[in-house]
Amino acid sequence: MTSLRNLLDINYELVLFASGLVFFIVGLAISLQSRRKSRLQLARSLRWFALFGIAFGLHEWGLLFVPIQALYMNYLAISTLQLLQLMLLGVAFFALFAFGADLLQDKWPRLKVIPYIIFLIWMIWVLILKISSGLGVGLLQQQAMILAKYLIAFPGALLAAYGLLYQARRQIKPLKLQAIYNTMVVASITLVLFAFIGGLFVPYAGFFPANVINQSLLIELTGVPVQVYLSIIGLALAVAVIRVLEVFDLETGRLIEKMQVEQNMAAERERIGREIHDGAIQTLYTAGLIVESTRRRVDGDPVLTKRLDRVMTALNETVISLRANMNDLRAGSQVSSLVEGLQKQAQDPRFTSLMEVELVIDLPETAVFNPAQSTHVLAIAGEAMTNAARHAGPNCVRIAAVSRNGHFVLDISDDGDGFPARQSNERGYGMRNMRDRARLLGGELIIDSKPGKGSSVILTVPWEAL
């Protein structure tokens, strides 16, 4: 144990650097990867955990670099750096507390104000201590640090641990993502360890419990300073949290898969409807004409005439039934208003959770679209947006429905990856379906794209054709 203690004493600066590094990496990884538009509460709460990691990492680095700067800077500058370091610690613990409260906001909504109240109390206490006690910045920093650990870090880390476990059971476990659920449990346990190691083992002070449970006691018992434990905890948190971030990629994949299934189902319904109209119904009409012609020729035979009448009745009932089935197939895709349909698509969380959607509508008040026309236009818009989400990975998609030079123009543009121009002419079902709908509207569809330059789907229809 003595050898280990000597080794750590010699490499204490390296230990401090490693402790700050792992927490900074946690914060940086989350800030770069978190998905604020995700439907998971965890995604919206992770911004607080990112702030905790970055602020705490900078504070730990301050323990290393501020004493070094003291050799070269004056007292005022060093005092300012020490106060800044103290504020970083308070902000870090506040962010950890806020992270736990945010994870539990649907269970305890009023809990969100508690971190702010406690942080404000700590700030007021530091200010009063500074004004009334006349302590130097070093002693002030030490006592304020101890209070921050007791008052903010310890309850905040426990609350964050419970919040992670709560969200894992509520949102991750039902998705049957067992590996990610287990990782969140590990992260929760790690936060409990942080609560005790980082929140209770404080520098020695002449009041309870700091005079009993402190960092000196930890070194005497284990021979290892608290920063080593914090480094291990930070490393475990980094691995766990980065692993948990995979849930957002899985969520995105499932959203895209769901959109594709719905788009395929809509296209399949449309295809079946067309086949019923162009195939079965037309064939039944032809059969009806043949039966009617035959009935006129055998008008003198009452038995045969009666049987042919029954055949005609059965054929007519079949046509009525097929038309009803066609209406049922198309009912889900028709809307009463094109503008309303475009607004719903622009606000659809399936799209807005993956990219920014901007909607521009500039149509004359006299513009009227019947349900069938609205269905075709919305289907083209939906197919274009789905293709962008699935293949292009854009940050933003712009939908513009405008009147231009006597034409109705629908322009869906994105800033995604794009694709070679030749692919727009390939016989993919989605593109073929969009072009078929454009022809049914009496218009033209242009697909323009270049690799790395985004893509545009432009529908142009003369107003007289609508």
Side-chain angles (χ1 to χ4, degrees):
M1 184 176 295
T2 302
S3 300
L4 176 62
R5 185 181 303 176
N6 292 335
L7 177 64
L8 293 174
D9 287 341
I10 294 172
N11 296 280
Y12 185 67
E13 291 80 6
L14 184 60
V15 171
L16 286 176
F17 180 78
S19 176
L21 182 63
V22 291
F23 282 98
F24 188 83
I25 289 175
V26 170
L28 185 63
I30 294 173
S31 62
L32 292 177
Q33 296 293 331
S34 62
R35 307 288 180 88
R36 293 183 180 180
K37 294 184 178 180
S38 170
R39 294 175 297 177
L40 300 176
Q41 176 60 40
L42 177 63
R44 293 183 287 275
S45 303
L46 277 175
R47 66 186 187 277
W48 290 114
F49 201 74
L51 177 59
F52 159 69
I54 292 173
F56 191 73
L58 291 174
H59 169 268
E60 292 293 285
W61 280 338
L63 295 175
L64 171 62
F65 292 111
V66 171
I68 295 176
Q69 296 302 315
L71 301 175
Y72 309 101
M73 302 176 68
N74 59 40
Y75 175 78
L76 180 60
I78 293 301
S79 298
T80 303
L81 287 177
Q82 288 176 327
L83 288 174
L84 178 60
Q85 183 185 1
L86 179 61
M87 290 301 104
L88 281 172
L89 184 68
V91 169
F93 292 158
F94 160 74
L96 183 61
F97 208 143
F99 172 63
D102 208 51
L103 288 174
L104 296 166
Q105 64 175 337
D106 59 332
K107 187 174 184 179
W108 299 316
R110 296 181 181 178
L111 189 63
K112 289 190 70 173
V113 301
I114 301 299
Y116 294 92
I117 294 174
I118 294 179
F119 183 68
L120 181 61
I121 292 173
W122 178 75
M123 289 286 292
I124 293 173
W125 183 89
V126 172
L127 183 61
I128 293 174
L129 188 65
K130 174 63 177 174
I131 295 174
S132 63
S133 67
L135 291 175
V137 175
L139 290 176
L140 173 67
Q141 183 185 26
Q142 183 186 49
Q143 293 198 17
M145 181 190 304
I146 293 172
L147 183 64
K149 287 175 177 287
Y150 287 157
L151 190 64
I152 309 175
F154 181 72
L158 291 179
L159 189 69
Y162 178 69
L164 268 181
L165 194 60
Y166 173 76
Q167 290 297 329
R169 291 174 177 172
R170 180 175 175 267
Q171 291 194 322
I172 304 302
K173 198 170 186 177
L175 296 177
K176 298 181 179 180
L177 302 174
Q178 190 62 39
I180 293 179
Y181 173 80
N182 293 338
T183 305
M184 289 184 69
V185 172
V186 171
S188 179
I189 295 172
T190 306
L191 282 173
V192 172
L193 293 176
F194 180 85
F196 285 93
I197 300 295
L200 293 184
F201 286 92
V202 299
Y204 176 86
F207 54 85
F208 183 82
N211 59 352
V212 178
I213 303 175
N214 50 58
Q215 295 178 2
S216 299
L217 175 65
L218 187 65
I219 294 176
E220 289 178 7
L221 294 176
T222 65
V224 178
V226 68
Q227 278 74 24
V228 173
Y229 291 104
L230 291 179
S231 298
I232 296 172
I233 290 172
L235 181 61
L237 278 176
V239 174
V241 170
I242 292 172
R243 179 74 175 88
V244 168
L245 290 176
E246 294 179 12
V247 71
F248 303 125
D249 293 329
L250 294 173
E251 182 192 21
T252 299
R254 291 189 177 188
L255 277 174
I256 292 175
E257 182 181 0
K258 182 179 179 181
M259 284 191 297
Q260 183 61 32
V261 169
E262 291 177 353
Q263 197 73 21
N264 290 341
M265 290 176 64
E268 187 66 13
R269 287 195 299 268
E270 183 69 20
R271 183 189 64 79
I272 294 173
R274 289 182 190 176
E275 289 183 356
I276 291 175
H277 179 271
D278 297 338
I281 291 180
Q282 295 302 323
T283 301
L284 288 172
Y285 274 138
T286 302
L289 292 174
I290 295 173
V291 172
E292 187 176 358
S293 174
T294 304
R295 184 186 179 283
R296 286 197 297 267
R297 294 187 180 185
V298 297
D299 199 29
D301 188 339
V303 176
L304 188 55
T305 299
K306 187 175 181 179
R307 289 182 178 180
L308 290 174
D309 287 340
R310 290 179 179 174
V311 173
M312 284 295 297
T313 300
L315 289 174
N316 289 332
E317 290 178 353
T318 302
V319 170
I320 293 172
S321 177
L322 288 174
R323 287 194 177 278
N325 290 334
M326 286 175 57
N327 291 333
D328 290 340
L329 285 170
R330 294 176 177 176
S333 60
Q334 291 186 352
V335 295
S336 57
S337 166
L338 174 63
V339 173
E340 178 186 352
L342 289 173
Q343 290 173 340
K344 287 182 177 179
Q345 285 188 340
Q347 298 169 2
D348 191 332
R350 298 176 305 163
F351 298 125
T352 58
S353 63
L354 301 174
M355 54 199 177
E356 296 285 345
V357 180
E358 178 187 356
L359 177 63
V360 177
I361 297 178
D362 186 13
L363 297 174
E365 295 182 359
T366 56
V368 178
F369 296 81
N370 63 46
Q373 292 169 338
S374 297
T375 297
H376 290 313
V377 174
L378 293 175
I380 291 172
E383 179 72 31
M385 293 179 68
T386 300
N387 286 341
R390 290 184 63 233
H391 303 298
N395 294 317
C396 179
V397 171
R398 183 177 185 271
I399 308 172
V402 300
S403 179
R404 186 184 301 159
N405 300 327
H407 291 74
F408 164 74
V409 179
L410 177 70
D411 186 347
I412 302 100
S413 303
D414 67 72
D415 59 357
D417 298 336
F419 53 86
R422 66 178 182 275
Q423 289 187 11
S424 65
N425 298 318
E426 293 179 359
R427 296 179 61 84
Y429 186 83
M431 292 184 178
R432 186 168 68 250
N433 188 43
M434 285 194 289
R435 289 194 171 92
D436 289 344
R437 290 182 184 277
R439 281 194 291 270
L440 290 172
L441 288 167
E444 180 184 12
L445 188 76
I446 298 175
I447 301 175
D448 182 31
S449 181
K450 293 181 180 179
K453 301 292 185 180
S455 58
S456 297
V457 177
I458 304 173
L459 169 68
T460 305
V461 185
W463 278 115
E464 55 266 23
L466 295 173

